[in-house]
Structure formats: structure tokens, C-alpha cells
Amino acid sequence: MIVNDNIRPRALTAQELEDRKRGVFDSYANYLVFCGKCGRMRKTNMYVMRAEAYIDELKEKGKACPGCGAMDWTLGYPENSASGFVYYK
């Protein structure tokens, strides 16, 4: 799977997760799925509903992180972004 090694993931903040539970989210944002234990990305550039479904699929299939073996798939953004978009210099 192709992922950008220049992107460092971060989990959604407590406020972002609470907003998501209330149905508030950026419909144009690019979310990513990564291992919450070691930070290895699994997939990038996904809409929130697809990213959440992808996490469910990984868990249902018992897919562990190839980096550390954890089953801690997490929804997030790049660490320097509030919308999933990263600006390149």
C-alpha cells in the first residue's frame, strides 16, 4: 500500500472526536488510518466515513500492524493539519 512517508499522523483530538459523534465533521477533509501504538500509516486520503469503515474492516479481518503487531487502528490527521491537507514547500 502506498503512503507518504513524509506525513506524521496524529489521532483526532477529544474535541474532534466529540464533534464527530454529534455528526459535525469536515466533509472535504482527508483522514488517515494509522497504528496508534507505533504510528505506522495504513492508508491516507480518505473521507471520514470510509476511514471509519476501513478501521472496522481491519479489525474484523484481524489485520495487525505490520510494524509492531498491534491491533490499534486509529483515525487521524497529519500532525500539522486540522483538515487533513498538508502544504508542501
Side-chain angles (χ1 to χ4, degrees):
M1 179 160 308
I2 299 172
V3 294
N4 186 337
D5 290 331
N6 296 321
I7 297 173
R8 301 177 86 193
R10 71 164 176 87
L12 296 182
T13 65
Q15 182 63 51
E16 290 166 336
L17 289 171
E18 184 61 35
D19 288 346
R20 177 66 188 120
K21 287 179 187 174
R22 291 190 339 263
V24 177
F25 61 94
D26 184 347
S27 61
Y28 292 103
N30 288 309
Y31 292 84
L32 46 92
V33 174
F34 68 99
C35 175
K37 183 175 179 185
C38 73
R40 183 180 177 127
M41 280 190 296
R42 178 68 185 207
K43 197 163 187 179
T44 63
N45 300 329
M46 303 170 68
Y47 291 115
V48 67
M49 288 131 207
R50 180 63 194 122
E52 290 168 337
Y54 188 65
I55 289 171
D56 291 341
E57 290 169 17
L58 290 170
K59 290 178 180 179
E60 286 173 9
K61 293 178 181 178
K63 298 281 184 176
C65 173
C68 69
M71 292 284 295
D72 186 19
W73 298 114
T74 305
L75 178 66
Y77 282 139
E79 73 177 9
N80 60 342
S81 174
S83 65
F85 293 98
V86 178
Y87 298 99
Y88 293 97
K89 294 179 183 179

